[in-house]
Amino acid sequence: MPEQSNDYRVVVFGAGGVGKSSLVIRFITGSFRDSYIPTIEDTYRQVISCNKNICTLQITDTTGSHQFPAMQRLSITKGHAFILVYSVCSKQSLEELRPIWSLIKELKPNISEIPVMLVGNKCDESAELREVSTSEGSTEASLMGVSFMETSAKTNHNVTELFQELLNMEKNRSVSLQLDGKKNKKSKPKKNKDVSNGTITQEGGEGSSGNGKEKCHVM
């Protein structure tokens, strides 16, 4: 298990072209990059406050290629939470996640305690282009024993909710996102959004952080 530190490391896996980078960039910057640029490995950081301490949400956007197995294993070893992304327009991209998931389980014997989200991206595409239905995605997630959500980096559908729900599933720390933490400090904290639309939550990982625990706010 990764050592406790001021970093909370989320690792994003998926085949090339499924929109991993677009999801992360949309979450961090609020913008969408329409062009496809292959990633070897990029790391994005967001400063948050947790229990009145400064910490960093570190998101690692991994390569969609299988040419860097050592980097892949290192990312898994250091990760605190995982996002497994496929494109709803590519059944193959869903199938390519299975060996990655097997490797995560191999390197993380305590996987039942680790937040993991299976994500079907590009849900804004037309039904004619879909190769993986919402029910097929949720069934795959159930078989894996992880949570499920469909997103669109292009339309910003469920992007913030994805990271919010992932942090809500963390069992060893009280971590959470509240987007109005910096922009409107005087306003009352908003209740967590209901993200049941296109979302299935991991058993035992429903996202309330418990009574008396402080939320983390985006700085």
Side-chain angles (χ1 to χ4, degrees), residues 7 22 38 49 57 76 78 104 109-112 118 136-137 157 164 182 186-187 194 197:
D7 285 349
S22 294
S49 66
L57 175 63
I76 294 172
K78 290 187 173 183
I104 292 173
N110 61 328
I111 189 62
S112 62
L118 178 66
E136 287 173 324
H157 176 69
Q164 172 72 75
K182 179 179 179 181
K186 294 182 180 179
S187 66
D194 180 4
N197 182 23

Side-chain angles (χ1 to χ4, degrees), residues 171-219:
K171 297 177 180 179
N172 296 314
R173 309 188 201 182
S174 178
V175 287
S176 179
L177 292 174
Q178 291 188 2
L179 293 183
D180 61 339
K182 179 179 179 181
K183 294 180 180 179
N184 191 4
K185 293 182 179 179
K186 294 182 180 179
S187 66
K188 295 181 180 179
K190 295 181 181 179
K191 294 182 179 179
N192 290 338
K193 294 182 179 179
D194 180 4
V195 292
S196 58
N197 182 23
T199 308
I200 292 180
T201 304
Q202 189 175 16
E203 184 178 357
E206 187 65 30
S208 68
S209 58
N211 292 333
K213 292 184 180 180
E214 296 186 41
K215 298 287 187 179
C216 294
H217 300 266
V218 176
M219 298 295 284

Side-chain angles (χ1 to χ4, degrees), residues 82-86 94 97 116-120 136-142 144 146-150 162 166 198 200:
F82 300 93
I83 298 175
L84 307 178
V85 185
Y86 68 93
L94 177 59
L97 287 173
V116 182
M117 185 78 75
L118 178 66
V119 176
E136 287 173 324
S138 65
T139 298
E140 184 73 20
S142 296
M144 296 166 65
V146 303
S147 299
F148 172 72
M149 183 178 289
E150 286 193 341
L162 164 61
L166 189 75
I200 292 180

Side-chain angles (χ1 to χ4, degrees), residues 2 10-11 49 59 95 101-102 132 145 148 163 168 171 181 192 201-202 204 208 218:
V10 175
V11 186
S49 66
I59 305 172
E95 293 170 352
W101 175 235
S102 295
V132 184
F148 172 72
F163 289 92
N168 283 349
K171 297 177 180 179
N192 290 338
T201 304
Q202 189 175 16
S208 68
V218 176

Side-chain angles (χ1 to χ4, degrees), residues 150-168:
E150 286 193 341
T151 61
S152 169
K154 185 175 184 178
T155 65
N156 202 21
H157 176 69
N158 270 352
V159 176
T160 299
E161 289 84 348
L162 164 61
F163 289 92
Q164 172 72 75
E165 193 65 23
L166 189 75
L167 296 186
N168 283 349

Side-chain angles (χ1 to χ4, degrees), residues 56-119:
T56 303
L57 175 63
Q58 179 175 299
I59 305 172
T60 300
D61 177 18
T62 65
T63 177
S65 169
H66 301 289
Q67 298 178 2
F68 306 95
M71 291 176 64
Q72 192 175 74
R73 295 177 73 91
L74 183 61
S75 294
I76 294 172
T77 301
K78 290 187 173 183
H80 296 110
F82 300 93
I83 298 175
L84 307 178
V85 185
Y86 68 93
S87 167
V88 300
C89 303
S90 170
K91 182 166 286 188
Q92 181 179 343
S93 68
L94 177 59
E95 293 170 352
E96 287 186 24
L97 287 173
R98 290 169 185 162
I100 296 174
W101 175 235
S102 295
L103 183 60
I104 292 173
K105 290 190 293 182
E106 175 189 331
L107 297 176
K108 296 287 191 183
N110 61 328
I111 189 62
S112 62
E113 301 176 6
I114 296 174
V116 182
M117 185 78 75
L118 178 66
V119 176

